[in-house]
Amino acid sequence: MGVNKKRRKPLLLSHTRPVPTTRTPTLSSQATRSRIRKHHTLQKQLHTATLNGDSISTEKLQAVLEASGGLQKYQEASIQGQSSERGGDSSKVLMEWIIEALSHNSREDTNELDKLRMLEVGALKVDNACSRSGIFEVTRIDLHSQHPDIQTQDFMQMCVPSPGTVEENGFDVVSLSLVLNYVGDAVSRGEMLKRVRGFLRSSRRISIGGAYMCFPAFFLVLPAPCVTNSRYLDEERLESIMISLGYVKTRRKLGKRLVYYLWHYQQDSAMDAQSVSFKKKEIRQGGNRNNFTIILQSSSGIPHG
């Protein structure tokens, strides 16, 4: 007789991301990357031990995290890594794509772009490339804001606009830069991708010469190994997941450490949420692989309110 397994409830983002601090001392690039990698590894191990109810391992891992500086040291490294001196501002890539489009736009088209609304999830700074561009009206959120222009808000608890108010309260662009990979639960990652759709305004196009730039858009940034060296996820499978949710890839850039995507959301192309699911599936074999993946569970659609 089969055993019924309870569906695991996706974790709130506040259960997986660290508390920021205001200290940002200078670190070398190597030290920055090493500190971030170590913290991510320990957090994933702690997440697994907690889910498995392994109290002994949980206590040991918490002690290791505290001994290595914990959340404070991680936050220092994250802020330093985003500094302009390090080239760590991922929004520069988005702006490169926008500027490329603007170079072909008429004056009227540029004026229309000035009205774009952007939601930046996991914002640490208020002076990144998108904020300085003047093109976006930016709403910034983070779990533990340390700046008056960043709202303290858990994205997974943020009120989703109703269909009747999404044009007024929604956004033309939602940015998740190095946010999805920090969520320790694969199911929660899938729920986050679904949830983004509820904040996006209806589709519109901006003329770019003879072509068009499409909105609403979803800017997604991940560590490159999440798709280039994962045992369970490659770019083909990621695109299949995104297509099922109604996203169409319009831009992509693969760097040494990060991969950047711009997805256009087309609500009419999304598949039936009750029937679509993507389970954990081995894509690549070999021992030197990471276990990053995204799981989509069938659901009733986008929750509102």
Side-chain angles (χ1 to χ4, degrees):
M1 182 174 179
V3 178
N4 293 325
K5 294 184 178 180
K6 292 184 178 179
R7 178 177 294 177
R8 184 181 297 162
K9 184 178 179 180
L11 295 177
L12 297 177
L13 189 57
S14 55
H15 292 173
T16 59
R17 280 180 59 94
V19 178
T21 70
T22 56
R23 288 185 60 206
T24 55
T26 301
L27 299 169
S28 70
S29 297
Q30 182 177 359
T32 297
R33 293 193 296 270
S34 177
R35 184 172 293 179
I36 290 173
R37 284 196 300 267
K38 181 178 181 180
H39 186 87
H40 276 246
T41 299
L42 290 171
Q43 282 285 359
K44 289 176 182 178
Q45 292 173 347
L46 178 60
H47 176 80
T48 300
T50 302
L51 287 178
N52 293 336
D54 187 345
S55 59
I56 296 177
S57 294
T58 297
E59 291 180 5
K60 288 182 179 179
L61 288 166
Q62 286 175 335
V64 174
L65 273 168
E66 292 175 4
S68 64
L71 304 179
Q72 177 176 331
K73 294 299 182 182
Y74 171 84
Q75 186 63 17
E76 289 173 2
S78 296
I79 293 174
Q80 188 66 39
Q82 287 194 19
S83 68
S84 57
E85 293 82 1
R86 298 282 174 81
D89 179 6
S90 61
S91 76
K92 290 193 298 185
V93 174
L94 176 59
M95 283 310 305
E96 287 173 4
W97 291 333
I98 297 289
I99 291 172
E100 178 185 349
L102 285 174
S103 66
H104 300 287
N105 275 348
S106 68
R107 188 177 185 85
E108 290 76 18
D109 293 326
T110 302
N111 288 338
E112 187 173 4
L113 280 174
D114 286 342
K115 303 174 184 177
L116 293 177
R117 300 188 70 231
M118 179 178 185
L119 174 63
E120 184 181 359
V121 181
L124 293 176
K125 305 181 72 176
V126 299
D127 60 349
N128 62 15
C130 285
S131 298
R132 297 193 306 268
S133 69
I135 293 173
F136 295 104
E137 174 190 333
V138 185
T139 297
R140 307 173 188 86
I141 65 171
D142 192 47
L143 296 170
H144 305 280
S145 169
Q146 299 296 308
H147 193 283
D149 291 335
I150 301 176
Q151 301 175 25
T152 298
Q153 175 68 62
D154 186 333
F155 178 68
M156 299 305 288
Q157 290 185 310
M158 190 173 179
C159 183
V160 180
S162 66
T165 64
V166 70
E167 295 306 310
E168 178 182 358
N169 300 321
F171 300 89
D172 299 291
V173 180
V174 172
S175 171
L176 294 184
S177 178
L178 300 178
V179 172
L180 190 69
N181 57 290
Y182 201 92
V183 178
D185 183 275
V187 173
S188 296
R189 296 179 195 132
E191 292 301 313
M192 180 173 283
L193 294 179
K194 292 179 185 178
R195 190 173 181 83
V196 166
R197 302 175 300 170
F199 291 89
L200 294 172
R201 287 170 155 177
S202 60
S203 183
R204 64 193 184 102
R205 299 187 300 175
I206 306 299
S207 176
I208 309 173
Y212 293 92
M213 184 164 186
C214 298
F215 295 95
F218 174 25
F219 183 55
L220 176 66
V221 183
L222 293 169
C226 288
V227 293
T228 61
N229 194 42
S230 170
R231 185 174 287 105
Y232 303 110
L233 188 73
D234 58 12
E235 291 202 275
E236 181 179 355
R237 186 164 180 83
L238 174 62
E239 188 161 5
S240 295
I241 291 172
M242 298 298 280
I243 288 173
S244 77
L245 295 173
Y247 297 109
V248 178
K249 185 172 65 180
T250 61
R251 295 285 195 281
R252 169 192 175 272
K253 178 179 179 179
L254 178 62
K256 292 182 179 180
R257 292 185 292 272
L258 302 176
V259 60
Y260 310 79
Y261 299 99
L262 190 64
W263 308 87
H264 171 48
Y265 177 54
Q266 298 177 319
Q267 184 176 2
D268 294 341
S269 68
M271 299 179 186
D272 184 0
Q274 294 184 351
S275 61
V276 175
S277 65
F278 283 82
K279 299 179 180 179
K280 190 174 182 178
K281 175 183 176 182
E282 187 175 55
I283 303 296
R284 300 183 180 95
Q285 296 182 342
N288 190 29
R289 305 289 185 187
N290 66 70
N291 294 321
F292 183 85
T293 189
I294 299 170
I295 294 175
L296 282 191
Q297 294 181 333
S298 56
S299 67
S300 58
I302 302 171
H304 296 278

